[in-house]
Amino acid sequence: AAGKVEVSMPPVVEVALGETARIECNFSIPGNVSYSIINWFYVERHSKVKLCSVLPGELLEDNTSYKGRLSVGRDNSLSISRVTVQDARPIVCQVEADDHGAGENRTELHIYKAPEAPEITANKGGVSVKSRDLPQIATCVSRNSFPPPNITWYKNREQLHTEENKVKISETVTRESSWLYTVSSSLFASVTREDRNSLFHCAVHYWLPGQQRVMESQNVSVNVFYPAEHVTLLVLPSPTLVKEGDNVQLVCKADGNPAPMFSFYKREVEDNWQDLSSLADANSGVLNLHDVNKSSSGLYKCQALDLDDMEQLEKDVELVVNYIEGVSVKMEPPSPVLEGGSVRLSCSANSPLALDFHWRDAKGKIVAEGKQLLLSNLTFETSSNFSCKVTAHKVPGLEKSKQVAVDVQGKPRIVSISSPLYVRQDEVVNLTCKAIAFPRPSVQWNINGTTHEYMENLHIASNLTVRVDHNLLQEGAMCRVNNTLGTSEKHIQLLDHKVSESKGVIIVAIIVCILVVAVLGSVIYFLHKKGKIPCGRAGKQDITRPEARKDKIVVEVKSDKLSEEAGLLQGANGEKRPAADQVGQTDVHC
């Protein structure tokens, strides 16, 4: 053994596809004798095929698929460039020495190619919890790798392993024309209704030089079919706030997949059930009830039929439609009522709920709360229409109203006349008389003329067009309004426009005199301040009988209207004073 050539090589050399593989060949020859030749081989089907021969300073390549890709280093290592997957085979290094024979060893050359991203496809048809055989969940495919990778499966991030009657994994490995591998793995597993939310994915485990890596797929879910276990029947929008006139939905839901077929029924008398399925959508499980009323109340039932196993579940619900009916208003005493009288209005209604009553007038203003409204001292102006609004505070929007008319009767009442009226002789004027009454009155004048009447609600207005003469000025006009309950009349006074003008002149004269006295007082006060007029308590002048002086002009104003002058000379207490008492001695004080 000491006389033989010993060759050592690494057991495995790893390289990525397309890179350069460097294979070392170390040897020892007894006596440090130089080698005579080094031969390189690859092994195929247990036979060695020569790659090349290395002589000192020379490389001799054989005609193989490696030709042109081989090179030898100074350390006698062999390099293979642009490696392919076919190069993944044992490589043999044989060293010969003339007197010591030959020795050889081998290296396993491993080539690696990373796969593409895995493709996962879930079962599109869905799987049933009642399937007798294990249903296929998904398929995972890894393409173009070398060597073929391993594929593992996971549910909700937990690895699945083959288990009898629960989990089965089948795998197919295909070598493509490119010598790269495609691996397809299929997962079969039993499912439960809880798996409707489960997520599945696969992982591809592959190798690269000196390391192992993992590439994961996306998560997928499958459509799990399972029978319904529970059924619910809901009243929308609210089971307790349904009122007459509402649109109501009865929604039937089952926890099975796919959804079962739904049927709706309503209980009639003697436990007979009315089929309402024609009004519902059998697939969505919704029964629409439009404009419900009192008769819509009752017990409703939903039946859910599973077409897979023909099992049937049902659920019922009581629908209560809240209502207000029979709203009426009673009037005591009954209409019509005499003006000045009183009336009591009583409102009543039927409902299973507690009710509130509100009274409003014709303008919509709330005038009272409660079932009764007392109207006292009624007049024609009192609102004739009142309404009783009935509400249920527990059910918003539930309300009914009843309107009643209160008719007030009475003899006419004159509310407006055109008096006093200033006119001129022979002038054409319009005399107006307005009244209110019920029943409808008639208007009469005590003088002749052209009349026009206007009626608005309970008001009547009469316009009389007439020419003013002496008798009309003296006596005036009389408006008389009457109906079956009585008569009212009023006098219209006509005044001569000239008399009013003379009275106006007198008033203006009085105002001017007052202004003159005010100015005179101001002048006297001014002269006193300048010292021109002495004054004091002892200074008295008799102005009752001034002496007549020739250089003074005395102006005396007389009027034949003694009554008016006397009126102007009345004292503060309304009594007339003698002229001598009105004109006396006056003290002037400063």
Side-chain angles (χ1 to χ4, degrees):
K4 293 184 178 180
V5 178
E6 294 184 358
V7 179
S8 63
M9 297 179 68
V12 176
V13 172
E14 297 178 336
V15 64
L17 180 67
E19 300 295 327
T20 298
R22 182 175 176 274
I23 305 173
E24 294 181 353
C25 181
N26 298 313
F27 56 87
S28 63
I29 300 175
N32 292 327
V33 177
S34 178
Y35 69 89
S36 57
I37 190 172
I38 300 176
N39 296 314
W40 289 90
F41 304 88
Y42 67 87
V43 178
E44 185 176 19
R45 297 176 184 176
H46 306 291
S47 298
K48 295 190 296 183
V49 179
K50 191 175 183 180
L51 288 173
C52 63
S53 298
V54 180
L55 299 174
E58 186 177 5
L59 175 62
L60 301 177
E61 292 186 68
D62 287 65
N63 190 17
T64 63
S65 59
Y66 293 85
K67 189 174 182 178
R69 297 189 293 129
L70 303 176
S71 63
V72 178
R74 292 182 179 181
D75 58 354
N76 297 317
S77 61
L78 177 66
S79 294
I80 305 174
S81 62
R82 304 186 302 280
V83 295
T84 65
V85 293
Q86 293 94 328
D87 298 335
R89 49 172 66 117
I91 302 297
V92 178
C93 175
Q94 184 185 73
V95 181
E96 294 182 3
D98 291 338
D99 297 331
H100 298 279
E104 64 180 42
N105 209 334
R106 65 177 56 192
T107 290
E108 290 289 338
L109 181 59
H110 291 178
I111 309 298
Y112 298 105
K113 164 67 170 63
E116 299 174 4
E119 302 172 3
I120 186 169
T121 304
N123 187 337
K124 295 181 179 179
V127 295
S128 173
V129 298
K130 293 189 174 183
S131 177
R132 295 181 179 179
D133 300 325
L134 291 180
Q136 182 176 349
I137 304 300
T139 299
C140 182
V141 178
S142 173
R143 302 181 186 277
N144 298 324
S145 64
F146 193 89
N150 293 328
I151 296 179
T152 54
W153 284 94
Y154 300 83
K155 181 176 78 172
N156 298 327
R157 310 305 298 181
E158 292 186 5
Q159 186 174 353
L160 297 174
H161 301 279
T162 300
E163 185 177 355
E164 187 176 0
N165 297 327
K166 290 186 176 182
V167 179
K168 183 179 74 172
I169 299 174
S170 65
E171 188 174 274
T172 301
V173 180
T174 303
R175 190 175 73 175
E176 307 293 344
S177 59
S178 61
W179 284 62
L180 298 178
Y181 288 96
T182 295
V183 178
S184 176
S185 178
S186 296
L187 172 66
F188 299 83
S190 60
V191 292
T192 63
R193 62 186 299 120
E194 286 73 22
D195 287 323
R196 63 187 182 277
N197 298 319
S198 295
L199 297 176
F200 297 86
H201 79 278
C202 64
V204 177
H205 304 264
Y206 62 96
W207 292 264
L208 288 180
Q211 56 185 324
Q212 185 177 14
R213 294 189 177 183
V214 178
M215 190 182 304
E216 293 186 347
S217 71
Q218 296 179 340
N219 291 321
V220 296
S221 60
V222 292
N223 189 10
V224 180
F225 301 135
Y226 48 88
E229 295 180 351
H230 304 91
V231 175
T232 59
L233 183 56
L234 303 176
V235 179
L236 299 180
S238 170
T240 60
L241 300 179
V242 178
K243 62 182 181 297
E244 284 187 316
D246 283 350
N247 295 326
V248 178
Q249 283 188 333
L250 299 183
V251 180
C252 191
K253 294 182 178 180
D255 59 354
N257 185 39
M261 296 292 292
F262 297 100
S263 302
F264 289 90
Y265 303 88
K266 181 186 178 185
R267 186 171 66 181
E268 300 293 341
V269 294
E270 297 180 357
D271 285 338
N272 292 325
W273 292 88
Q274 178 187 2
D275 190 354
L276 303 177
S277 300
S278 59
L279 304 177
D281 187 341
N283 295 320
S284 65
V286 177
L287 173 62
N288 292 300
L289 301 177
H290 299 284
D291 194 19
V292 296
N293 52 38
K294 178 182 177 181
S295 62
S296 302
S297 298
L299 186 66
Y300 289 80
K301 178 173 65 176
C302 165
Q303 289 183 346
L305 176 63
D306 192 327
L307 298 179
D308 187 21
D309 55 10
M310 301 307 291
E311 292 185 2
Q312 183 171 280
L313 300 175
E314 63 181 40
K315 187 71 175 181
D316 56 48
V317 66
E318 186 77 26
L319 175 63
V320 177
V321 179
N322 297 291
Y323 63 91
I324 298 175
E325 65 180 7
V327 180
S328 63
V329 177
K330 182 180 180 182
M331 184 185 308
E332 295 179 348
S335 184
V337 182
L338 291 177
E339 187 177 25
S342 300
V343 68
R344 184 183 302 274
L345 303 180
S346 300
C347 187
S348 61
N350 298 323
S351 176
L353 303 170
L355 300 178
D356 299 321
F357 297 84
H358 313 272
W359 293 92
R360 298 175 183 267
D361 60 15
K363 295 181 179 180
K365 180 182 177 181
I366 295 180
V367 294
E369 304 280 350
K371 290 186 175 182
Q372 293 187 341
L373 172 63
L374 179 62
L375 301 173
S376 303
N377 195 21
L378 293 172
T379 65
F380 294 121
E381 291 81 6
T382 303
S383 177
S384 60
N385 292 322
F386 292 87
S387 64
C388 172
K389 184 177 181 180
V390 186
T391 61
H393 63 273
K394 290 186 177 180
V395 183
L398 180 59
E399 59 183 43
K400 284 281 183 74
S401 295
K402 184 68 174 181
Q403 193 173 66
V404 62
V406 179
D407 296 329
V408 179
Q409 290 187 349
K411 74 174 186 176
R413 176 158 41 89
I414 298 177
V415 297
S416 174
I417 58 172
S418 54
S419 178
L421 185 63
Y422 293 96
V423 298
R424 290 185 176 90
Q425 187 80 18
D426 294 330
E427 182 183 8
V428 176
V429 295
N430 286 325
L431 306 182
T432 302
C433 181
K434 294 182 179 179
I436 183 171
F438 185 80
R440 178 173 177 171
S442 61
V443 181
Q444 297 166 348
W445 297 87
N446 66 335
I447 57 176
N448 295 326
T450 303
T451 60
H452 297 278
E453 289 187 0
Y454 306 94
M455 196 75 186
E456 182 179 0
N457 296 329
L458 301 179
H459 290 79
I460 186 170
S462 177
N463 292 332
L464 175 65
T465 304
V466 65
R467 184 177 298 275
V468 179
D469 56 17
H470 179 72
N471 291 333
L472 185 59
L473 277 173
Q474 293 295 322
E475 300 177 3
M478 183 68 70
C479 169
R480 182 178 291 107
V481 185
N482 63 78
N483 63 5
T484 57
L485 298 178
T487 302
S488 295
E489 59 182 23
K490 278 193 177 183
H491 180 262
I492 298 178
Q493 182 182 8
L494 281 76
L495 301 178
D496 193 344
H497 195 67
K498 291 181 179 181
V499 175
S500 64
E501 288 179 351
S502 64
K503 290 184 178 180
V505 171
I506 294 174
I507 294 173
V508 172
I510 293 174
I511 294 174
V512 171
C513 290
I514 294 173
L515 293 176
V516 170
V517 172
V519 173
L520 181 59
S522 299
V523 172
I524 293 173
Y525 179 76
F526 176 75
L527 293 177
H528 168 69
K529 285 294 186 178
K530 295 294 185 177
K532 301 295 184 178
I533 301 177
C535 59
R537 290 186 175 271
K540 295 183 178 180
Q541 297 180 5
D542 190 355
I543 62 172
T544 58
R545 286 178 174 82
E547 297 181 358
R549 295 176 57 182
K550 294 180 179 179
D551 55 348
K552 300 295 182 177
I553 300 175
V554 179
V555 179
E556 183 177 3
V557 180
K558 295 182 178 181
S559 173
D560 55 356
K561 298 181 179 179
L562 298 179
S563 60
E564 294 182 4
E565 292 177 358
L568 295 173
L569 295 177
Q570 289 182 2
N573 58 1
E575 297 179 353
K576 296 184 180 179
R577 297 171 56 191
D581 293 340
Q582 297 179 43
V583 182
Q585 292 181 340
T586 304
D587 292 338
V588 180
H589 302 277
C590 300

